[in-house]
Amino acid sequence: MKSFRDREILITGAGSGIGRATALAFAAEGASLWLADLDEQGNAETAEQARRAGARARTFHCDVADEQSVRALAEAVHERIDALDILMNNAGIGSAGRFLDTSLETWRRVMDVNLMGVVHGCHAFLPAMVEQGRGGHVINVASAAGYFAAPDMPVYAASKFAVQGFSEALRADMASHGIGVSTICPGIINTGIVANSIMEGRMGDPERHGKIVDFYRKRNFTAEDVAKSVLRAVRGNRAVQPVSAEAWGLYYAKRFAPRLLQKVSEKEPPFLK
Ligand SMILES: NC(=O)c1ccc[n+]([C@@H]2O[C@H](COP(=O)([O-])OP(=O)(O)OC[C@H]3O[C@@H](n4cnc5c(N)ncnc54)[C@H](O)[C@@H]3O)[C@@H](O)[C@H]2O)c1
């Protein structure tokens, strides 16, 4: 897909960070937006900015972890259009803490949002895209944690590895329908995600949490830069798109120096010292 003009694009988690920045990048290209988020205020702000850029934007309150909520969203969309052109499953939450400190409640919540949210989106919207026969694209936002699992992120990494695996299978499945599937794997991006993450065990210490928030802020790789990579990934129908230097570094280290990477990951990251 080379042009996004008048394309029907739905983005989950559009009320902040990468979702908002990508919505605005598509808006600048003349797309027609369907924006979904739990955070109605943030979502309304994204829509307002998109409209100021000349795009059509409609907002929906939706919890991607809840099958019924996503189904209701799809019904509302399909009352107005026959099918999406692009579905971006972006909504996600962060979590950090060693395995022994991690509650099963955290496992359930993170998997429900980060993995099942992606599955619910595909389940609700892909049948109409396939039936309509116009092709299209699915963008699933995983993470560099979708191919490199740090010891402080067992749940988050499990959810993102799963998104990566699901997306790989889906890409081969959907190829005959002309529907591309891209997995976006950002590294350390300056958004609200860390401040809002579930932090357990030693990671729950406010001082340590503050250091991580600070580190992301100082690294200052922006959501707008991620958005540019997302549009490039769709245009080039890329399977996996690492975003930022650390995401690319981990991508190659995992392939060419997995043992070294394992050793390094056993050590405390410098920004936590
Ligand atoms: N920021 C990073 O460093 C980074 C790195 C790799 C991957 N990611 C991934 O990028 C995606 C976007 O994250 P972000 O950094 O923009 O974070 P963010 O916190 O700025 O935005 C996430 C948005 O998702 C929404 N959301 C959360 N749970 C939801 C739910 N159950 N239903 C609907 N909406 C929900 C939030 O309200 C928020 O508006 C996530 O999937 C995240 O895991 C982020």
Side-chain angles (χ1 to χ4, degrees):
M1 194 181 296
K2 303 297 173 202
S3 165
F4 302 121
R5 178 149 300 281
D6 297 325
R7 299 289 190 179
E8 303 293 348
I9 303 180
L10 184 133
I11 301 175
T12 66
S16 169
I18 294 168
R20 171 178 290 171
T22 309
L24 297 179
F26 279 130
E29 303 264 338
S32 165
L33 299 173
W34 306 83
L35 308 173
D37 204 297
L38 264 182
D39 171 5
E40 294 187 66
Q41 208 181 329
N43 210 22
E45 176 57 35
T46 305
E48 188 47 43
Q49 291 185 31
R51 288 182 198 120
R52 265 188 254 131
R56 281 188 76 187
R58 287 128 299 197
T59 57
F60 299 87
H61 180 259
C62 175
D63 179 355
V64 298
D66 176 358
E67 178 193 339
Q68 296 310 328
S69 180
V70 180
R71 199 158 295 290
L73 169 68
E75 278 166 17
V77 171
H78 292 143
E79 267 171 23
R80 296 169 173 97
I81 57 169
D82 51 9
L84 296 174
D85 294 301
I86 297 180
L87 166 65
M88 179 170 179
N89 292 301
N90 162 76
I93 53 173
S95 70
R98 294 282 163 133
F99 174 70
L100 296 182
D101 297 320
T102 306
S103 69
L104 287 174
E105 194 190 342
T106 299
W107 273 95
R108 287 189 198 100
R109 183 65 192 158
V110 174
M111 295 306 271
D112 277 352
V113 178
N114 291 5
L115 173 60
M116 291 313 295
V118 173
V119 175
H120 290 153
C122 291
H123 213 259
F125 288 101
L126 266 175
M129 290 171 74
V130 168
E131 194 189 349
Q132 205 282 336
R134 200 167 60 221
H137 209 92
V138 177
I139 305 161
N140 289 337
V141 180
S143 168
Y147 46 78
F148 166 67
D152 282 306
M153 303 181 99
V155 193
Y156 187 75
S159 72
K160 296 300 188 178
F161 266 68
V163 168
Q164 169 87 341
F166 166 56
S167 304
E168 192 174 310
L170 190 68
R171 182 177 166 89
D173 186 0
M174 288 295 128
S176 60
H177 299 288
I179 297 174
V181 178
S182 296
T183 315
I184 309 298
C185 298
I188 292 161
I189 316 300
N190 187 12
T191 68
I193 196 163
V194 178
N196 297 322
S197 287
I198 302 169
M199 307 297 272
E200 288 172 305
R202 68 194 200 111
M203 302 305 268
D205 167 34
E207 198 187 326
R208 187 171 272 122
H209 192 177
K211 276 187 186 174
I212 304 170
V213 172
D214 250 26
F215 175 70
Y216 273 64
R217 192 172 45 75
K218 286 191 188 131
R219 167 72 180 89
N220 201 24
F221 194 98
T222 66
E224 287 71 25
D225 285 328
V226 180
K228 283 183 201 148
S229 293
V230 172
L231 269 60
R232 267 200 303 273
V234 176
R235 284 200 166 101
N237 189 18
R238 294 189 192 157
V240 179
Q241 179 66 67
V243 187
S244 79
E246 57 279 359
W248 277 109
L250 290 168
Y251 185 73
Y252 285 117
K254 183 77 186 207
R255 269 173 175 63
F256 301 118
R259 281 190 189 190
L260 177 68
L261 188 60
Q262 165 83 44
K263 283 277 164 234
V264 172
S265 78
E266 287 168 14
K267 302 209 176 339
E268 186 80 327
F271 63 89
L272 282 183
K273 282 182 185 153

